[in-house]
Amino acid sequence: MDTKYVKRRQRGLAVLVASLVLVIGAIGYIGVSKLFGGGEERSVTADYEGTGNGVTKLVEIPEGSAVSQLGQQLVDKNIVKSDGAFQTAAANNPDAGDVQPGFYRLQEEMSAKSAVDALLNPDNKVDLLDVPGGATLSDLQVIGGDKRLGIYSMIADASCQGEDKESCVKKEDLEKVAATADLEALGVPEWARSDIEKRGDDPKRLEGLIAPGQYVLNPEMNAEEILTDLITRSTKKYNETDIENRAKAIGLSPYELLTSASLVEREAPAGEFDKVARVILNRLKEPMRLEFDSTVNYGLEDVELATTDEHRAEKTPWNTYAKDGLPETPIASPSEEAISAMEDPADGKWLFFVTVDDQGTTVFSDDYDEHLKNVDKAMNSGILDQHR
Protein backbone atom coordinates (compact mmCIF):
# COMPACT_ATOMS: atom_id res chain seq x y z
CA MET A 1 0.00 0.00 0.00
CA ASP A 2 1.17 3.52 -0.79
CA THR A 3 2.85 5.00 2.33
CA LYS A 4 1.69 8.51 1.43
CA TYR A 5 -1.90 7.24 1.21
CA VAL A 6 -1.68 5.71 4.69
CA LYS A 7 -0.33 8.91 6.18
CA ARG A 8 -3.03 10.99 4.49
CA ARG A 9 -5.66 8.59 5.88
CA GLN A 10 -4.21 8.80 9.39
CA ARG A 11 -4.17 12.60 9.25
CA GLY A 12 -7.80 12.56 8.11
CA LEU A 13 -8.83 10.36 11.01
CA ALA A 14 -6.97 12.61 13.46
CA VAL A 15 -8.76 15.69 12.15
CA LEU A 16 -12.12 13.87 12.39
CA VAL A 17 -11.48 12.81 16.01
CA ALA A 18 -10.40 16.32 16.97
CA SER A 19 -13.51 17.76 15.38
CA LEU A 20 -15.75 15.32 17.25
CA VAL A 21 -14.04 16.23 20.55
CA LEU A 22 -14.67 19.92 19.93
CA VAL A 23 -18.31 19.30 19.01
CA ILE A 24 -18.93 17.11 22.08
CA GLY A 25 -17.16 19.65 24.29
CA ALA A 26 -19.28 22.47 22.92
CA ILE A 27 -22.48 20.50 23.47
CA GLY A 28 -21.38 19.68 27.02
CA TYR A 29 -20.59 23.31 27.76
CA ILE A 30 -23.99 24.44 26.46
CA GLY A 31 -25.71 21.72 28.51
CA VAL A 32 -24.12 22.62 31.84
CA SER A 33 -24.63 26.32 31.25
CA LYS A 34 -28.42 25.83 31.00
CA LEU A 35 -29.43 24.70 34.44
CA PHE A 36 -33.15 25.48 34.34
CA GLY A 37 -36.00 25.91 31.90
CA GLY A 38 -37.22 28.91 29.97
CA GLY A 39 -34.06 29.10 27.98
CA GLU A 40 -32.29 31.17 30.65
CA GLU A 41 -28.63 30.27 30.80
CA ARG A 42 -26.92 29.83 34.15
CA SER A 43 -23.20 29.19 34.45
CA VAL A 44 -22.05 26.58 36.96
CA THR A 45 -20.39 29.48 38.80
CA ALA A 46 -23.11 32.08 38.25
CA ASP A 47 -23.84 34.22 41.30
CA TYR A 48 -26.46 36.64 42.56
CA GLU A 49 -25.54 40.06 43.86
CA GLY A 50 -26.48 41.46 47.25
CA THR A 51 -27.85 39.98 50.46
CA GLY A 52 -31.22 38.69 49.28
CA ASN A 53 -34.64 39.77 48.09
CA GLY A 54 -36.45 39.70 51.46
CA VAL A 55 -38.15 36.31 50.98
CA THR A 56 -37.07 34.04 53.85
CA LYS A 57 -36.42 30.33 53.35
CA LEU A 58 -35.61 27.70 55.96
CA VAL A 59 -32.44 25.67 55.42
CA GLU A 60 -31.35 22.58 57.36
CA ILE A 61 -27.81 21.39 57.98
CA PRO A 62 -28.30 17.82 59.29
CA GLU A 63 -26.15 16.32 62.04
CA GLY A 64 -22.90 14.97 60.65
CA SER A 65 -22.97 16.94 57.39
CA ALA A 66 -20.57 19.65 56.25
CA VAL A 67 -21.40 23.09 54.89
CA SER A 68 -19.97 22.01 51.51
CA GLN A 69 -22.88 19.54 51.19
CA LEU A 70 -25.42 22.36 51.44
CA GLY A 71 -24.94 23.90 48.00
CA GLN A 72 -27.59 22.00 46.03
CA GLN A 73 -30.23 22.62 48.72
CA LEU A 74 -29.52 26.35 48.47
CA VAL A 75 -29.79 26.24 44.69
CA ASP A 76 -33.09 24.33 44.87
CA LYS A 77 -34.51 26.96 47.23
CA ASN A 78 -33.21 29.78 44.96
CA ILE A 79 -31.04 31.13 47.76
CA VAL A 80 -27.84 30.99 45.70
CA LYS A 81 -27.60 30.90 41.93
CA SER A 82 -25.17 27.99 41.59
CA ASP A 83 -23.52 25.33 43.67
CA GLY A 84 -20.16 26.21 42.14
CA ALA A 85 -20.35 29.79 43.38
CA PHE A 86 -21.33 28.58 46.84
CA GLN A 87 -18.49 26.05 46.98
CA THR A 88 -16.03 28.77 45.98
CA ALA A 89 -17.38 31.18 48.62
CA ALA A 90 -17.24 28.49 51.30
CA ALA A 91 -13.68 27.54 50.33
CA ASN A 92 -12.63 31.20 50.51
CA ASN A 93 -14.06 31.70 54.01
CA PRO A 94 -11.73 30.26 56.67
CA ASP A 95 -14.61 30.05 59.18
CA ALA A 96 -16.96 28.06 56.94
CA GLY A 97 -16.05 24.84 58.75
CA ASP A 98 -17.48 26.30 61.97
CA VAL A 99 -21.09 26.27 60.72
CA GLN A 100 -23.10 24.10 63.13
CA PRO A 101 -25.93 21.66 62.36
CA GLY A 102 -29.41 23.09 62.69
CA PHE A 103 -32.00 25.16 60.87
CA TYR A 104 -31.15 28.58 59.41
CA ARG A 105 -33.23 31.41 57.98
CA LEU A 106 -31.75 32.70 54.72
CA GLN A 107 -33.19 34.84 51.94
CA GLU A 108 -33.72 34.08 48.30
CA GLU A 109 -31.25 35.43 45.72
CA MET A 110 -28.24 35.97 47.97
CA SER A 111 -24.72 36.17 46.69
CA ALA A 112 -22.82 33.03 47.59
CA LYS A 113 -20.56 35.02 49.90
CA SER A 114 -23.60 36.52 51.67
CA ALA A 115 -25.09 33.06 52.08
CA VAL A 116 -21.94 31.75 53.76
CA ASP A 117 -21.78 34.84 55.99
CA ALA A 118 -25.45 34.36 56.92
CA LEU A 119 -24.82 30.76 57.94
CA LEU A 120 -22.06 31.95 60.26
CA ASN A 121 -24.30 34.59 61.84
CA PRO A 122 -25.94 33.09 64.99
CA ASP A 123 -28.89 35.48 64.59
CA ASN A 124 -29.99 33.46 61.56
CA LYS A 125 -29.97 30.12 63.36
CA VAL A 126 -33.20 28.75 64.76
CA ASP A 127 -32.86 28.53 68.55
CA LEU A 128 -32.15 25.14 70.07
CA LEU A 129 -34.63 23.67 72.50
CA ASP A 130 -32.55 23.28 75.66
CA VAL A 131 -34.26 21.02 78.22
CA PRO A 132 -32.37 21.01 81.55
CA GLY A 133 -32.59 18.23 84.09
CA GLY A 134 -35.51 18.92 86.42
CA ALA A 135 -37.56 20.80 83.82
CA THR A 136 -41.32 20.31 84.00
CA LEU A 137 -43.81 20.26 81.16
CA SER A 138 -45.85 23.14 82.59
CA ASP A 139 -44.69 26.55 83.80
CA LEU A 140 -43.93 27.00 87.50
CA GLN A 141 -44.54 30.23 89.35
CA VAL A 142 -42.25 30.44 92.36
CA ILE A 143 -43.76 32.49 95.19
CA GLY A 144 -41.57 35.54 95.68
CA GLY A 145 -39.52 34.56 92.62
CA ASP A 146 -39.55 34.26 88.87
CA LYS A 147 -41.72 32.20 86.59
CA ARG A 148 -39.93 29.08 85.38
CA LEU A 149 -40.85 28.21 81.83
CA GLY A 150 -41.99 24.65 81.27
CA ILE A 151 -41.07 22.49 78.31
CA TYR A 152 -44.31 23.32 76.46
CA SER A 153 -43.48 27.04 76.67
CA MET A 154 -39.86 26.37 75.67
CA ILE A 155 -41.05 24.50 72.58
CA ALA A 156 -43.43 27.33 71.68
CA ASP A 157 -40.59 29.86 71.90
CA ALA A 158 -38.15 27.72 69.92
CA SER A 159 -40.71 27.08 67.16
CA CYS A 160 -41.09 30.73 66.17
CA GLN A 161 -39.72 31.60 62.72
CA GLY A 162 -37.86 34.82 63.42
CA GLU A 163 -39.97 37.74 64.57
CA ASP A 164 -43.12 36.27 63.08
CA LYS A 165 -45.07 35.37 66.23
CA GLU A 166 -47.90 33.97 64.14
CA SER A 167 -45.56 31.15 63.11
CA CYS A 168 -45.08 29.95 66.69
CA VAL A 169 -46.60 26.65 67.78
CA LYS A 170 -48.99 27.51 70.61
CA LYS A 171 -48.49 26.09 74.08
CA GLU A 172 -52.21 25.28 74.20
CA ASP A 173 -51.92 23.16 71.05
CA LEU A 174 -49.02 21.22 72.58
CA GLU A 175 -51.05 20.59 75.74
CA LYS A 176 -54.02 19.37 73.70
CA VAL A 177 -51.88 16.96 71.72
CA ALA A 178 -50.18 15.72 74.89
CA ALA A 179 -53.55 15.05 76.50
CA THR A 180 -55.33 13.38 73.59
CA ALA A 181 -52.95 11.97 70.98
CA ASP A 182 -52.37 8.24 70.60
CA LEU A 183 -49.43 7.26 72.82
CA GLU A 184 -47.91 4.79 70.38
CA ALA A 185 -48.12 7.33 67.56
CA LEU A 186 -46.34 9.87 69.78
CA GLY A 187 -43.45 7.45 70.28
CA VAL A 188 -44.14 6.78 73.98
CA PRO A 189 -42.14 3.71 75.08
CA GLU A 190 -44.17 0.55 75.48
CA TRP A 191 -43.00 0.18 79.10
CA ALA A 192 -44.68 3.47 80.05
CA ARG A 193 -47.98 3.37 78.15
CA SER A 194 -50.20 1.54 80.64
CA ASP A 195 -49.25 3.93 83.47
CA ILE A 196 -49.77 6.98 81.26
CA GLU A 197 -53.13 5.79 80.00
CA LYS A 198 -54.39 5.84 83.59
CA ARG A 199 -53.92 9.61 83.62
CA GLY A 200 -56.69 10.11 81.07
CA ASP A 201 -56.56 13.43 79.23
CA ASP A 202 -54.15 15.18 81.60
CA PRO A 203 -51.54 17.22 79.59
CA LYS A 204 -49.03 16.33 82.33
CA ARG A 205 -49.29 12.65 81.54
CA LEU A 206 -46.19 12.86 79.34
CA GLU A 207 -44.03 14.23 82.17
CA GLY A 208 -40.53 12.76 82.19
CA LEU A 209 -40.71 11.39 78.64
CA ILE A 210 -38.77 14.26 77.03
CA ALA A 211 -35.24 13.60 78.16
CA PRO A 212 -32.98 16.52 79.12
CA GLY A 213 -30.71 17.70 76.33
CA GLN A 214 -30.44 20.08 73.39
CA TYR A 215 -32.74 19.52 70.44
CA VAL A 216 -32.81 21.01 66.95
CA LEU A 217 -36.46 21.68 66.19
CA ASN A 218 -37.88 22.04 62.72
CA PRO A 219 -40.03 25.18 63.15
CA GLU A 220 -42.17 24.13 60.20
CA MET A 221 -43.53 21.17 62.20
CA ASN A 222 -46.90 21.36 63.94
CA ALA A 223 -47.52 20.58 67.63
CA GLU A 224 -48.07 16.85 67.17
CA GLU A 225 -45.06 16.44 64.88
CA ILE A 226 -42.79 18.25 67.35
CA LEU A 227 -43.91 16.20 70.35
CA THR A 228 -43.62 12.99 68.34
CA ASP A 229 -40.09 13.94 67.28
CA LEU A 230 -38.99 14.78 70.84
CA ILE A 231 -40.58 11.78 72.53
CA THR A 232 -39.37 9.35 69.84
CA ARG A 233 -35.81 10.62 70.21
CA SER A 234 -36.05 10.46 74.00
CA THR A 235 -37.46 6.92 73.93
CA LYS A 236 -34.56 5.85 71.73
CA LYS A 237 -32.14 7.47 74.16
CA TYR A 238 -33.69 5.77 77.19
CA ASN A 239 -33.83 2.37 75.49
CA GLU A 240 -30.23 2.62 74.31
CA THR A 241 -29.17 2.94 77.97
CA ASP A 242 -30.85 -0.43 78.69
CA ILE A 243 -33.29 1.24 81.07
CA GLU A 244 -35.44 -1.89 81.51
CA ASN A 245 -32.62 -4.01 82.91
CA ARG A 246 -31.22 -1.10 84.91
CA ALA A 247 -34.58 -0.66 86.60
CA LYS A 248 -35.02 -4.37 87.19
CA ALA A 249 -31.68 -4.49 89.00
CA ILE A 250 -33.05 -2.23 91.76
CA GLY A 251 -36.52 -3.72 91.88
CA LEU A 252 -38.33 -1.00 89.92
CA SER A 253 -40.08 -0.80 86.58
CA PRO A 254 -38.51 1.52 83.97
CA TYR A 255 -41.32 4.04 84.53
CA GLU A 256 -40.78 3.88 88.30
CA LEU A 257 -37.08 4.48 87.71
CA LEU A 258 -37.90 7.64 85.75
CA THR A 259 -40.34 8.71 88.47
CA SER A 260 -37.93 8.17 91.36
CA ALA A 261 -35.11 9.84 89.43
CA SER A 262 -37.35 12.87 88.89
CA LEU A 263 -37.72 13.12 92.68
CA VAL A 264 -33.94 13.05 93.02
CA GLU A 265 -33.76 15.83 90.43
CA ARG A 266 -36.25 18.07 92.26
CA GLU A 267 -35.19 17.28 95.85
CA ALA A 268 -31.43 16.87 95.84
CA PRO A 269 -28.88 19.69 95.86
CA ALA A 270 -25.87 19.35 93.60
CA GLY A 271 -23.53 16.60 94.75
CA GLU A 272 -26.18 14.86 96.88
CA PHE A 273 -28.07 12.92 94.21
CA ASP A 274 -26.82 9.53 95.38
CA LYS A 275 -27.76 10.23 99.04
CA VAL A 276 -31.32 11.30 98.20
CA ALA A 277 -31.61 8.22 95.98
CA ARG A 278 -30.65 6.09 98.95
CA VAL A 279 -33.32 7.76 101.12
CA ILE A 280 -35.97 7.00 98.46
CA LEU A 281 -35.01 3.33 98.26
CA ASN A 282 -34.76 3.01 102.05
CA ARG A 283 -38.22 4.51 102.57
CA LEU A 284 -39.80 2.37 99.86
CA LYS A 285 -38.26 -0.71 101.47
CA GLU A 286 -39.50 0.11 105.01
CA PRO A 287 -42.20 0.87 103.76
CA MET A 288 -42.90 4.46 104.78
CA ARG A 289 -44.27 7.45 102.93
CA LEU A 290 -41.72 9.55 101.07
CA GLU A 291 -43.21 12.87 102.23
CA PHE A 292 -41.39 15.06 99.71
CA ASP A 293 -42.44 18.70 99.38
CA SER A 294 -41.59 18.57 95.67
CA THR A 295 -44.47 16.13 95.16
CA VAL A 296 -46.84 18.51 96.96
CA ASN A 297 -45.68 21.46 94.87
CA TYR A 298 -46.12 19.54 91.62
CA GLY A 299 -49.88 19.73 91.98
CA LEU A 300 -49.89 23.47 92.81
CA GLU A 301 -49.93 26.50 90.53
CA ASP A 302 -47.62 28.48 92.86
CA VAL A 303 -44.70 26.67 94.46
CA GLU A 304 -42.23 27.33 97.27
CA LEU A 305 -39.70 25.41 99.32
CA ALA A 306 -41.85 25.06 102.45
CA THR A 307 -45.36 23.74 101.85
CA THR A 308 -48.35 24.30 104.14
CA ASP A 309 -50.17 21.77 106.31
CA GLU A 310 -53.22 22.31 104.13
CA HIS A 311 -51.38 21.53 100.91
CA ARG A 312 -49.63 18.51 102.42
CA ALA A 313 -53.00 17.06 103.34
CA GLU A 314 -54.40 17.34 99.81
CA LYS A 315 -54.79 14.03 98.00
CA THR A 316 -53.33 14.31 94.51
CA PRO A 317 -51.74 11.75 92.15
CA TRP A 318 -48.33 13.03 93.28
CA ASN A 319 -48.50 14.14 96.93
CA THR A 320 -46.37 11.62 98.84
CA TYR A 321 -47.48 13.06 102.16
CA ALA A 322 -51.00 11.83 101.40
CA LYS A 323 -50.24 8.63 99.46
CA ASP A 324 -47.99 5.61 99.78
CA GLY A 325 -45.17 4.88 97.38
CA LEU A 326 -44.08 6.90 94.40
CA PRO A 327 -46.09 9.59 92.58
CA GLU A 328 -48.22 8.28 89.73
CA THR A 329 -45.99 10.03 87.16
CA PRO A 330 -42.56 11.63 87.13
CA ILE A 331 -42.62 15.21 88.40
CA ALA A 332 -39.86 16.44 86.04
CA SER A 333 -37.49 15.31 83.31
CA PRO A 334 -34.75 13.33 85.07
CA SER A 335 -31.17 13.71 83.93
CA GLU A 336 -28.93 10.72 83.30
CA GLU A 337 -27.09 11.75 86.48
CA ALA A 338 -30.28 11.38 88.52
CA ILE A 339 -31.12 8.03 86.89
CA SER A 340 -27.60 6.76 87.58
CA ALA A 341 -27.91 7.88 91.21
CA MET A 342 -31.00 5.68 91.62
CA GLU A 343 -29.14 2.82 89.99
CA ASP A 344 -26.04 3.26 92.16
CA PRO A 345 -27.08 5.09 95.36
CA ALA A 346 -24.74 5.98 98.20
CA ASP A 347 -24.37 3.51 101.08
CA GLY A 348 -26.35 4.54 104.15
CA LYS A 349 -29.36 3.90 106.35
CA TRP A 350 -30.74 7.43 106.01
CA LEU A 351 -34.47 7.93 106.12
CA PHE A 352 -34.57 11.70 106.54
CA PHE A 353 -32.94 14.79 105.08
CA VAL A 354 -33.52 18.50 105.32
CA THR A 355 -31.87 21.63 103.93
CA VAL A 356 -30.80 23.72 106.92
CA ASP A 357 -29.57 27.02 105.43
CA ASP A 358 -29.79 29.25 102.36
CA GLN A 359 -26.47 27.89 101.11
CA GLY A 360 -28.16 24.58 100.31
CA THR A 361 -26.51 22.58 103.09
CA THR A 362 -28.46 19.33 103.41
CA VAL A 363 -28.27 17.07 106.46
CA PHE A 364 -29.09 13.34 106.34
CA SER A 365 -30.04 11.13 109.28
CA ASP A 366 -31.60 7.77 110.11
CA ASP A 367 -32.97 8.81 113.51
CA TYR A 368 -36.24 10.74 113.73
CA ASP A 369 -35.28 12.70 116.87
CA GLU A 370 -32.05 13.78 115.20
CA HIS A 371 -34.05 14.78 112.15
CA LEU A 372 -36.33 16.97 114.28
CA LYS A 373 -33.26 18.80 115.63
CA ASN A 374 -32.14 19.40 112.06
CA VAL A 375 -35.60 20.72 111.20
CA ASP A 376 -35.24 23.18 114.10
CA LYS A 377 -31.97 24.38 112.56
CA ALA A 378 -33.77 24.92 109.28
CA MET A 379 -36.52 26.89 111.02
CA ASN A 380 -34.03 29.01 112.93
CA SER A 381 -32.21 29.83 109.68
CA GLY A 382 -35.48 30.93 108.06
CA ILE A 383 -35.46 28.19 105.43
CA LEU A 384 -38.57 26.62 106.95
CA ASP A 385 -41.48 28.51 108.47
CA GLN A 386 -42.61 26.90 111.73
CA HIS A 387 -46.11 28.36 111.27
CA ARG A 388 -46.72 26.43 108.05
Side-chain angles (χ1 to χ4, degrees):
M1 182 178 291
D2 189 343
T3 302
K4 291 182 180 180
Y5 171 77
V6 171
K7 288 182 178 180
R8 282 198 303 272
R9 185 177 180 187
Q10 288 175 339
R11 282 197 299 270
L13 286 171
V15 171
L16 178 61
V17 170
S19 299
L20 287 172
V21 168
L22 288 173
V23 170
I24 292 171
I27 292 172
Y29 175 79
I30 292 171
V32 297
S33 66
K34 293 185 176 181
L35 296 181
F36 55 89
E40 182 180 348
E41 294 187 2
R42 179 182 284 185
S43 165
V44 292
T45 57
D47 202 359
Y48 289 123
E49 295 182 1
T51 57
N53 62 6
V55 178
T56 301
K57 291 292 183 70
L58 199 65
V59 174
E60 180 186 10
I61 302 180
E63 293 281 349
S65 65
V67 69
S68 60
Q69 297 171 273
L70 188 61
Q72 191 56 52
Q73 182 185 165
L74 299 182
V75 172
D76 293 342
K77 291 178 180 286
N78 196 32
I79 292 170
V80 299
K81 201 166 189 178
S82 69
D83 181 37
F86 179 74
Q87 299 298 338
T88 299
N92 289 336
N93 191 318
D95 298 322
D98 296 334
V99 176
Q100 299 298 308
F103 286 87
Y104 293 80
R105 300 181 186 90
L106 275 66
Q107 294 185 35
E108 288 184 347
E109 298 184 3
M110 305 181 77
S111 71
K113 179 181 181 303
S114 294
V116 174
D117 290 342
L119 290 168
L120 288 166
N121 185 345
D123 291 341
N124 294 319
K125 188 177 182 182
V126 175
D127 292 336
L128 288 171
L129 172 66
D130 191 357
V131 179
T136 55
L137 290 174
S138 300
D139 300 340
L140 292 177
Q141 179 61 56
V142 182
I143 295 177
D146 296 329
K147 182 178 182 180
R148 297 177 185 171
L149 291 183
I151 296 174
Y152 292 142
S153 291
M154 295 179 198
I155 293 172
D157 289 346
S159 71
C160 301
Q161 298 190 39
E163 299 300 320
D164 180 13
K165 296 303 179 185
E166 293 299 317
S167 68
C168 307
V169 171
K170 292 180 174 57
K171 182 181 73 168
E172 294 75 17
D173 291 339
L174 292 162
E175 291 172 334
K176 182 178 179 180
V177 169
T180 61
D182 179 77
L183 297 179
E184 183 177 1
L186 284 176
V188 171
E190 187 175 355
W191 43 259
R193 289 176 201 160
S194 62
D195 290 295
I196 295 172
E197 284 170 351
K198 296 174 185 176
R199 298 298 313 134
D201 58 358
D202 181 1
K204 291 182 176 182
R205 66 180 184 156
L206 300 181
E207 193 73 83
L209 296 183
I210 298 177
Q214 290 189 324
Y215 298 89
V216 175
L217 287 187
N218 183 344
E220 294 182 335
M221 286 182 172
N222 61 32
E224 184 166 355
E225 290 169 334
I226 289 175
L227 285 180
T228 300
D229 179 42
L230 294 174
I231 293 172
T232 299
R233 282 197 264 176
S234 297
T235 296
K236 183 174 183 290
K237 179 179 179 180
Y238 284 139
N239 287 341
E240 284 178 346
T241 65
D242 195 24
I243 191 170
E244 294 188 71
N245 286 325
R246 294 170 71 185
K248 185 177 180 180
I250 57 174
L252 300 176
S253 71
Y255 193 63
E256 288 172 333
L257 176 54
L258 281 190
T259 301
S260 55
S262 74
L263 300 183
V264 170
E265 197 75 61
R266 298 298 294 175
E267 286 281 340
E272 306 281 17
F273 276 20
D274 58 343
K275 290 185 178 180
V276 172
R278 173 53 67 191
V279 171
I280 292 171
L281 291 172
N282 286 348
R283 286 200 167 209
L284 291 175
K285 185 179 179 180
E286 277 292 313
M288 62 186 294
R289 287 184 173 177
L290 294 176
E291 297 185 342
F292 286 176
D293 287 298
S294 58
T295 66
V296 178
N297 276 324
Y298 187 75
L300 303 176
E301 290 186 7
D302 299 326
V303 304
E304 56 184 323
L305 178 62
T307 56
T308 66
D309 289 339
E310 180 184 0
H311 286 149
R312 289 193 292 272
E314 285 184 26
K315 292 187 177 181
T316 75
W318 309 282
N319 181 5
T320 55
Y321 278 92
K323 73 183 297 293
D324 297 333
L326 293 166
E328 291 184 13
T329 73
I331 62 170
S333 288
S335 64
E336 176 59 29
E337 182 185 3
I339 295 173
S340 296
M342 285 301 307
E343 183 185 18
D344 187 22
D347 292 329
K349 298 179 179 180
W350 310 297
L351 293 171
F352 311 97
F353 64 94
V354 63
T355 300
V356 297
D357 58 35
D358 58 7
Q359 303 301 310
T361 304
T362 302
V363 181
F364 295 79
S365 59
D366 55 15
D367 180 78
Y368 185 62
D369 290 334
E370 181 183 350
H371 175 63
L372 290 179
K373 292 177 183 178
N374 293 329
V375 171
D376 286 338
K377 291 180 182 178
M379 288 181 176
N380 292 334
S381 71
I383 290 295
L384 294 180
D385 186 342
Q386 58 183 326
H387 300 296
R388 297 176 68 83

